[in-house]
Amino acid sequence: LREPDEARRELEAIEKELTDEAERVTGEEQTLLADVAGGRVHRVRPAWSELFSSPEARYALFVAAGLQAFQQLVGINTVMYYSAQILRLAGVGDNETALQYGLVISAGNVVGTVVGLLLIDRIGRRPLALWSLAGCFASLCVLALSFHAPRPDGALAFAGLCGYILCFSPGMGPVPWAVQSEVFPPRMRSAGTGVATFVNWAFNFAVAQTFLSMVDGIGKAGTFACFAGLTAVAFAFVLCAVPETKGLSLDEVTHLLR
């Protein structure tokens, strides 16, 4: 009988220790909440000056903002916003037919995005972005060629648009957002993410507003050739400036950017 009694006493002692620890933690939480409510503890705010003065943060901002800018400069939203107009310019049927083809292109964007989600942690952010940009470059060249002939080739233009969206959506679609969330030090992540996101929307607006003016100014073939050139610059940027962050902790990423 003595052994069960000893076991019971040990369990009671453990239970008392756990109860005391829970009461201590609860007391500390209540004290902290009271200090915050009374203004005695201040929440840490993002240091904007550090975002531009810290070498690691500056490089992280360069990488994140650069990826967001090139995501737009390679022409994705000209395809998403103006796919029906592009097909009509290439002589594809009437407006209804062009809109139906545009839906196919949008469906390709969904499929490609799902593929990107499956691949981004398997092959890495950097290789996925490079393969994506290489495919986008080839597809934009096809688009430029489809308008370069004396008579636009609608089938070739549609193939170029489909190839472009299937190459863009798995790589340059998700990669800038994934890398952006990983490269900033914790204290500056909210500020850095805000700046990089602003860059994305600023270039989105600029590209969308200038596309039709470019078509009028340098022609349809010249416009897509210009986007192909920007895609080549984006490829060089990723190859030379963007680190691989797959599987790294935040501390390891920060060390990598030094």
Side-chain angles (χ1 to χ4, degrees):
L1 294 176
R2 190 169 65 181
E3 289 184 1
D5 289 341
E6 289 178 356
R8 188 179 299 108
R9 283 195 296 270
E10 289 178 3
L11 288 173
E12 289 174 351
I14 293 171
E15 182 180 4
K16 184 176 183 305
E17 288 178 4
L18 292 174
T19 302
D20 292 343
E21 181 66 15
E23 290 176 353
R24 183 187 66 78
V25 171
T26 301
E28 290 179 355
E29 289 179 349
Q30 291 175 347
T31 301
L32 181 59
L33 290 173
D35 288 342
V36 171
R40 293 182 292 274
V41 174
H42 301 282
R43 292 182 174 88
V44 177
R45 297 173 183 249
W48 288 92
S49 59
E50 291 182 39
L51 186 61
F52 299 99
S53 62
S54 165
E56 295 88 354
R58 278 201 309 269
Y59 190 66
L61 184 61
F62 172 69
V63 169
L67 282 172
Q68 294 289 14
F70 280 119
Q71 185 189 64
Q72 301 302 319
L73 287 172
V74 299
I76 177 58
N77 282 317
T78 63
V79 173
M80 296 307 297
Y81 297 159
Y82 299 110
S83 59
Q85 289 93 322
I86 293 169
L87 291 170
R88 287 291 291 129
L89 290 171
V92 176
D94 54 17
N95 287 334
E96 184 176 351
T97 303
L99 286 172
Q100 289 173 350
Y101 283 142
L103 291 175
V104 174
I105 294 168
S106 297
N109 186 34
V110 175
V111 172
T113 300
V114 172
V115 172
L117 293 175
L118 297 175
L119 293 179
I120 194 166
D121 281 327
R122 291 187 180 183
I123 68 174
R125 288 87 166 111
R126 193 167 175 270
L128 189 58
L130 290 172
W131 281 108
S132 174
L133 288 166
C136 288
F137 176 81
S139 299
L140 287 166
C141 290
V142 169
L143 269 171
L145 287 172
S146 72
F147 288 105
H148 185 67
R151 183 176 180 181
D153 188 332
L156 193 61
F158 180 65
L161 287 173
C162 289
Y164 176 89
I165 201 67
L166 288 173
C167 290
F168 176 92
S169 52
M172 282 303 287
V175 166
W177 300 104
V179 172
Q180 174 179 293
S181 69
E182 295 168 334
V183 293
F184 290 105
R187 176 176 169 78
M188 289 163 273
R189 185 173 300 123
S190 59
T193 298
V195 173
T197 302
F198 170 80
V199 169
N200 179 287
W201 283 106
F203 278 92
N204 182 330
F205 176 81
V207 171
Q209 292 299 311
T210 58
F211 173 68
L212 295 179
S213 298
M214 289 175 66
V215 170
D216 291 338
I218 61 176
K220 298 178 280 291
T223 298
F224 289 112
C226 180
F227 283 126
L230 290 170
T231 303
V233 176
F235 185 94
F237 173 79
V238 174
L239 185 65
C240 299
V242 177
E244 179 55 68
T245 57
K246 183 187 78 166
L248 299 181
S249 67
L250 293 176
D251 288 339
E252 289 171 331
V253 172
T254 300
H255 180 74
L256 188 65
L257 296 175
R258 287 176 181 167

